[in-house]
Amino acid sequence: EAQVTQNPRYLITVTGKKLTVTCSQNMNHEYMSWYRQDPGLGLRQIYYSMNVEVTDKGDVPEGYKVSRKEKRNFPLILESPSPNQTSLYFCASSRLAGGVASYNEQFFGPGTRLTVL
Amino acid sequence: TQLLEQSPQFLSIQEGENLTVYCNSSSVFSSLQWYRQEPGEGPVLLVTVVTGGEVKKLKRLTFQFGDARKDSSLHITAAQPGDTGLYLCAGATTGTASKLTFGTGTRLQVTL
């Protein structure tokens, strides 16, 4: 079954304790992204990756790191979490479609609800 | 950063009613997508529109991309309880297909 998996699904942690949220996809997609979803603010892109070893900042990258050492995995790292990073996080994978008018159709994981105390 | 505004933010209707959700921006998008998200799950892609004026139908859902490619609408005919969820539009600009800007969403509840 084609899917994007994230772990853990739920995490409660304390300020400053480093954590990693894993993301894996089995569709051989080139593109992967991380988003956070907050009430009233919608989905905002944190980082994205266009292929192995190629990553770039999204709209809200501060406080986060990513790596793309393998095509299927795209972990999100919070080196020193703070309460304002409490949020619902989604990983997504995609590949370009549409030919000349290319577009990117995202497949989302189930989400990770993170609480930083 | 491009902004996508969705309206209404909340919509509660009865089964069988029709509704329209709007997605507006001052920016031009090369493509625009609609997703539906159910509680506890990630968004699921419904449709992608790429041509100004384009209309796509998915059963009881009709999607339209504005002529100027700055806005889009989603019309649901004869809504059913299974249509309940958060509807999100997302746009990409030319040359940045991997970078999507999402709207804030429209939360739809359809009751019996």
Side-chain angles (χ1 to χ4, degrees), chain B residues 4-26:
Chain B
L4 273 168
E5 295 184 1
Q6 287 187 238
S7 62
Q9 283 186 291
F10 302 97
L11 195 52
S12 181
I13 62 172
Q14 291 190 318
E15 184 180 18
E17 292 184 29
N18 301 331
L19 66 114
T20 302
V21 176
Y22 299 94
C23 175
N24 294 294
S25 176
S26 57

Side-chain angles (χ1 to χ4, degrees), chain B residues 71-89:
Chain B
D71 55 85
S72 180
S73 64
L74 158 60
H75 182 79
I76 301 179
T77 304
Q80 299 177 358
D83 296 326
T84 293
L86 179 67
Y87 288 82
L88 298 161
C89 63

Side-chain angles (χ1 to χ4, degrees), chain A residues 31 37 45 59 90 104-105, chain B residues 33 35 37 42 48 97-99:
Chain A
Y31 294 83
Q37 187 173 35
Q45 192 177 52
D59 296 319
F90 289 99
N104 199 308
E105 297 182 333
Chain B
Q33 299 172 344
Y35 292 80
Q37 184 179 13
T48 301
S98 58
K99 197 173 184 310

Side-chain angles (χ1 to χ4, degrees), chain B residues 23-64:
Chain B
C23 175
N24 294 294
S25 176
S26 57
S27 302
V28 176
F29 292 99
S30 58
S31 65
L32 197 135
Q33 299 172 344
W34 285 91
Y35 292 80
R36 181 169 66 208
Q37 184 179 13
E38 299 187 24
E41 298 180 11
V44 175
L45 179 67
L46 296 173
V47 77
T48 301
V49 286
V50 299
T51 305
E54 182 177 3
V55 176
K56 280 192 174 178
K57 291 192 174 185
L58 186 67
K59 297 183 181 177
R60 293 175 295 100
L61 278 61
T62 302
F63 305 86
Q64 183 161 12

Side-chain angles (χ1 to χ4, degrees), chain A residues 85-101:
Chain A
Q85 293 178 299
T86 292
S87 187
L88 180 58
Y89 290 87
F90 289 99
C91 179
S93 76
S94 59
R95 63 172 161 237
L96 282 182
V100 173

Side-chain angles (χ1 to χ4, degrees), chain A residues 26-107:
Chain A
N26 62 1
M27 294 169 279
N28 201 37
H29 285 165
E30 293 86 4
Y31 294 83
M32 298 186 75
S33 296
W34 275 103
Y35 295 87
R36 60 178 290 173
Q37 187 173 35
D38 302 289
L41 296 176
L43 275 163
R44 293 178 293 168
Q45 192 177 52
I46 302 170
Y47 269 95
Y48 62 98
S49 170
M50 291 168 281
N51 215 322
V52 175
E53 302 291 3
V54 182
T55 63
D56 205 353
K57 296 177 181 179
D59 296 319
V60 288
E62 293 78 20
Y64 305 94
K65 285 176 58 177
V66 293
S67 68
R68 187 92 180 274
K69 292 184 170 58
E70 305 166 280
K71 198 172 188 179
R72 64 183 293 126
N73 296 322
F74 190 43
L76 179 70
I77 303 156
L78 284 71
E79 295 270 4
S80 183
S82 61
N84 64 13
Q85 293 178 299
T86 292
S87 187
L88 180 58
Y89 290 87
F90 289 99
C91 179
S93 76
S94 59
R95 63 172 161 237
L96 282 182
V100 173
S102 61
Y103 52 85
N104 199 308
E105 297 182 333
Q106 312 246 348
F107 291 82

